Amino acid sequence: MSDLTEAGTAPDTAPDTAPLTYEQEWYLANTRRNTLTPRNVRLSYEILGPLDPHLLEEAVRCFVARHDALRMTLTGAAAAPAQRALPVRPGDRPVHGEHVTAASTRQFSRYAAAVLSRDVITPLTGRDRPFTFRLLRHDAGHHAFLATFANLFFDGRAHDLFTREVWRDYAALRAAGTAPAPTAPSFADAARRQREGHGPRHLERARASWHRRMEFAARHPWRELDGISPTPDGTVHAEIPAAAVQALREACRNARCTVMQWLVGSFVRALAQCAGQRRVSLWTSLDSRRTAERDVVGMFAGPAPLAIGAPGAALPDVVAEVGHAMVDALRHQQLTAHELAGLLDAFDDGGPPVRDIYVNLRTFPGDLRGGRGDDGLRITPDAYPLRRISVTERAALHLRCNEYRDAVLLDLLFDGRRIGEPLARSILHHIVEDAAGVRRPPSPSGKALP
């Protein structure tokens, strides 16, 4: 990603330029205002078995060649940036290979985690592409594949597409030796369509929706509880196992909701049951891709507040309200960075905190524990945790949900002064118990959830 030109330079009007998406504009504005610490999106895999490094590199190279988001560079004036896709460089080798001399697999894993941690906080600027790929080799049957991407051009949905397509293409190359499909939907074209698809009336409705949800957040901050014994800040963990996840997916299909909507609904209900929250305002990240653009790699994910008016209702009703709130927020997500900053500044100035509760939702297409495939490889995603990177948590509660085919991992980060570890554990326990109770078939009314 190249540096922005100096302020005052004439805007770039070349025909191959594209505007930033609303989400890119908001992310860039926040990093410039120092309200958001830039960190690259990360992927990591432990690979056990007979990997062909050359075929993996070719699969990655094909992905970069067909998805223009991974060849984007910022252009134009700093006050009005645009973006442009650079051409494919002949003979480009995107993957850096390294043979690591390690005394044990544990030492190798610690080294891979340290390298990934360094890449996550290394700015992807200058003339380089907005990504870093590394293939670390312990021995012929043990590799680590690490990938980081500039968040300005890559979001959670792109994360899933990369995982799915690279391993699909690796398998195809290994089986037939033929090159994968050379083209994919263009991020630049999708960014143009996003900006062209919303006129003044829609943007006025979007402003009204944001204002209404921000007012709700200001009126209903986290209600401080009596009798909380402060504890150190921390994280509590839980796992929903494969059998419960399968039952939950079936119930969600019958109830016409997603697993993630159900998890947020269960979380919100736990806040009412365990902490007496009569109204809940929470923030999450929403993907604004259109249905026809689900396979576009790029940056379309942005934060949005959700207003839940009846968190203590029956679980099916809470899940339904969460689903409607997500759809409404997504429909009205499109505001410029300047308009969003004005709204947030107005409510943050002297008012109550409005981001007390945050939910981060990620879906991985594979198994958590890396089942062995037909090619003899056992691939474990998200295999290397970050090391020595501290994160300042603004929220009182921050729920992280990672959904795999065979499990859901839950991490609940809590403010020890305002929440305390016992309450955090109770909230997480309610979510796990709700999932364990999803056993019954759908009721005649169609509400399959307990």
Side-chain angles (χ1 to χ4, degrees), residues 373-449:
D374 295 337
D375 54 7
L377 294 181
R378 184 180 183 88
I379 303 168
T380 303
D382 212 21
Y384 303 102
L386 298 182
R387 295 173 55 84
R388 298 180 180 178
I389 294 180
S390 60
V391 179
T392 301
E393 186 62 63
R394 292 180 58 190
L397 283 170
H398 180 172
L399 179 67
R400 295 175 177 170
C401 305
N402 289 344
E403 179 188 0
Y404 301 86
R405 284 189 305 194
D406 60 342
V408 172
L409 298 186
L410 303 172
D411 292 327
L412 184 58
L413 289 70
F414 60 89
D415 180 332
R417 180 182 58 84
R418 304 172 64 191
I419 307 297
E421 183 174 338
L423 178 57
R425 288 193 178 280
S426 178
I427 291 169
L428 199 59
H429 176 74
H430 270 71
I431 302 174
V432 174
E433 287 295 299
D434 281 346
V438 180
R439 301 293 183 190
R440 299 188 298 275
S443 66
S445 66
K447 292 183 176 180
L449 304 178

Side-chain angles (χ1 to χ4, degrees), residues 212-227:
R212 181 176 64 253
R213 285 177 281 140
M214 292 301 300
E215 277 193 328
F216 183 94
R219 290 198 311 269
H220 304 291
W222 176 263
R223 189 172 68 87
E224 301 295 343
L225 304 177
D226 296 330

Side-chain angles (χ1 to χ4, degrees), residues 230-267:
T231 69
D233 296 351
T235 305
V236 290
H237 312 272
E239 177 178 339
I240 300 175
V245 171
Q246 291 171 2
L248 178 56
R249 288 201 180 104
E250 181 63 29
C252 287
R253 280 193 292 269
N254 291 327
R256 297 185 179 181
C257 67
T258 68
V259 170
M260 288 304 186
Q261 288 171 352
W262 186 94
L263 289 168
V264 175
S266 178
F267 173 55

Side-chain angles (χ1 to χ4, degrees), residues 306-358:
L306 305 180
I308 309 301
L315 183 54
D317 297 324
V318 179
V319 172
E321 185 177 5
V322 166
H324 291 317
M326 285 184 170
V327 171
D328 179 69
L330 186 58
R331 185 179 294 123
H332 299 112
Q333 184 76 341
Q334 302 80 17
L335 281 187
T336 67
H338 176 74
E339 290 172 313
L340 280 175
L343 273 174
L344 295 175
D345 288 345
F347 282 101
D348 277 339
D349 187 15
V354 295
R355 301 194 194 191
D356 288 327
I357 305 169
Y358 196 88

Side-chain angles (χ1 to χ4, degrees), residues 99 122 124 131 183 375:
H99 185 190
T122 300
L124 290 168
F131 58 77
T183 61
D375 54 7

